[in-house]
């Protein structure tokens, strides 16, 4: 079993690292590890390293950094703006967006947003766990919630193209929307979709384009994942 851990310190060969209390519990009580096992380490900046668990007790875990496996890759620019959904659905979007390579996630307050009580610490834990699981070396940034009107009023040509998911049948196909794009931003709405007023605001906003995901009406979390997949897997 390969064990990957996110650490909040710089990584260098020969370095000794003390792991967090949560990681001590995870290694000792969940995985029931013993000293001497190999672990993989990343911090979102210095690439991926291997290390040896040199000590493990009830209160501490020590890792000796041995060698670098991968250098830190060049950071992409894929921004997801999404309206909070029911708790499990929001967590699913954050998890899958992380796995698919989104580099920043920002919550958007809309007229039909029903879940306004967001635990960003919980989202941060999901992001880190997803990075550990999928062998991602960078860690997505979590932005503070922004009002949709404010977002659209401040969005311009200096930012990546803002792709909204168009359910009216007037959106463009993926091959048209994503052609030649190396950076992108997505905007997805809540369970009830955008209001008529919001759809008009989006349509008339600068640097935006509608994406057609086909004839079916997708759930909000499905639409987010599908759109990101079309871009990152092209």
């Amino acid at each position: 079993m390969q064990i990957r851990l996110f650490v909040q310190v710089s990584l260098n060969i020969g370095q000794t690292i003390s792991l967090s209390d949560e990681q001590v519990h995870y290694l000792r009580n969940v995985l029931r590890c013993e000293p001497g096992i190999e672990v993989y380490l990343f911090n979102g900046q210095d690439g991926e390293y291997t290390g040896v668990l040199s000590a493990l007790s009830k209160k501490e875990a020590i890792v000796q950094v041995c060698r670098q496996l991968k250098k830190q890759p060049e950071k992409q620019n894929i921004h997801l703006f999404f309206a909070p959904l029911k708790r499990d659905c929001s967590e699913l979007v954050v998890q899958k967006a992380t796995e698919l390579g989104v580099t920043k996630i920002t919550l958007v307050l809309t007229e039909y947003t029903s879940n306004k009580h967001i635990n960003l610490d919980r989202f941060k834990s999901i992001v880190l766990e997803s990075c550990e699981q999928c062998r991602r070396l960078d860690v997505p940034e979590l932005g503070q919630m922004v009002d949709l009107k404010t977002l659209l009023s401040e969005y311009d040509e200096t930012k990546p193209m803002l792709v909204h998911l168009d359910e009216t049948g007037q959106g463009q196909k993926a091959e048209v929307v994503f052609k030649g794009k190396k950076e992108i931003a997505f905007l997805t709405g809540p369970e009830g979709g955008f209001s008529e007023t919001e759809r008009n605001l989006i349509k008339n906003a600068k640097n935006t384009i509608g994406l057609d995901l086909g004839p079916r009406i997708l759930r909000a979390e499905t639409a987010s994942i599908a759109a990101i997949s079309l871009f990152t897997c092209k």
Side-chain angles (χ1 to χ4, degrees):
M1 178 179 61
Q2 185 181 103
I3 300 171
R4 295 187 79 240
L5 301 172
F6 174 80
V7 294
Q8 295 183 333
V9 296
S10 61
L11 288 168
N12 297 285
I13 295 173
Q15 180 182 4
T16 299
I17 296 175
S18 294
L19 300 181
S20 68
D21 292 343
E22 291 80 9
Q23 290 168 333
V24 171
H25 170 77
Y26 176 64
L27 293 175
R28 190 172 189 273
N29 300 320
V30 178
L31 298 183
R32 299 190 180 278
C33 295
E34 297 288 343
I37 67 165
E38 183 181 54
V39 296
Y40 292 73
L41 306 169
F42 71 106
N43 62 5
Q45 297 178 341
D46 300 323
E48 184 174 49
Y49 286 73
T50 61
V52 174
L53 184 66
S54 58
L56 180 62
S57 66
K58 291 183 179 180
K59 295 185 176 181
E60 70 172 0
I62 305 296
V63 175
Q64 187 77 27
V65 181
C66 299
R67 62 191 178 97
Q68 186 182 48
L69 290 179
K70 297 178 181 178
K71 293 184 177 181
Q72 190 69 21
E74 182 178 351
K75 189 174 182 179
Q76 293 181 294
N77 187 2
I78 306 173
H79 197 155
L80 173 63
F81 296 94
F82 85 98
L85 310 170
K86 295 176 183 177
R87 190 188 69 179
D88 290 349
C89 295
S90 286
E91 292 182 357
L92 178 66
V93 171
V94 171
Q95 180 191 64
K96 299 309 176 185
T98 300
E99 292 178 15
L100 289 168
V102 168
T103 50
K104 186 172 183 179
I105 301 170
T106 300
L107 300 171
V108 179
L109 182 63
T110 71
E111 288 187 32
Y112 297 156
T113 299
S114 58
N115 181 15
K116 300 178 183 179
H117 304 288
I118 302 301
N119 185 343
L120 283 180
D121 287 338
R122 171 60 181 159
F123 281 3
K124 184 177 180 180
S125 295
I126 292 171
V127 164
L128 293 178
E129 289 170 4
S130 298
C131 288
E132 290 175 344
Q133 183 273 326
C134 72
R135 298 202 68 177
R136 182 170 174 173
L137 296 184
D138 63 316
V139 178
E141 176 185 353
L142 289 175
Q144 295 294 326
M145 185 182 290
V146 61
D147 180 81
L148 178 62
K149 292 181 181 178
T150 301
L151 167 64
L152 294 175
S153 68
E154 296 176 350
Y155 214 84
D156 56 31
E157 290 82 359
T158 65
K159 299 179 176 68
M161 178 71 75
L162 181 63
V163 178
H164 62 95
L165 308 188
D166 195 325
E167 297 178 351
T168 67
Q170 299 178 11
Q172 301 290 322
K173 296 298 183 182
E175 57 266 27
V176 175
V177 174
F178 299 142
K179 185 177 180 180
K181 300 288 191 306
K182 293 185 177 180
E183 55 182 20
I184 204 82
F186 293 96
L187 171 63
T188 63
E191 284 93 348
F194 295 113
S195 70
E196 186 66 28
T197 299
E198 289 172 334
R199 285 197 293 269
N200 288 329
L201 284 173
I202 295 169
K203 182 179 179 180
N204 296 316
K206 296 179 180 178
N207 201 24
T208 64
I209 190 171
L211 173 65
D212 181 9
L213 287 177
R216 299 180 183 86
I217 301 300
L218 303 179
R219 291 174 62 96
E221 65 271 24
T222 306
S224 297
I225 296 167
I228 298 166
S229 299
L230 285 173
F231 180 76
T232 59
C233 299
K234 70 181 190 303

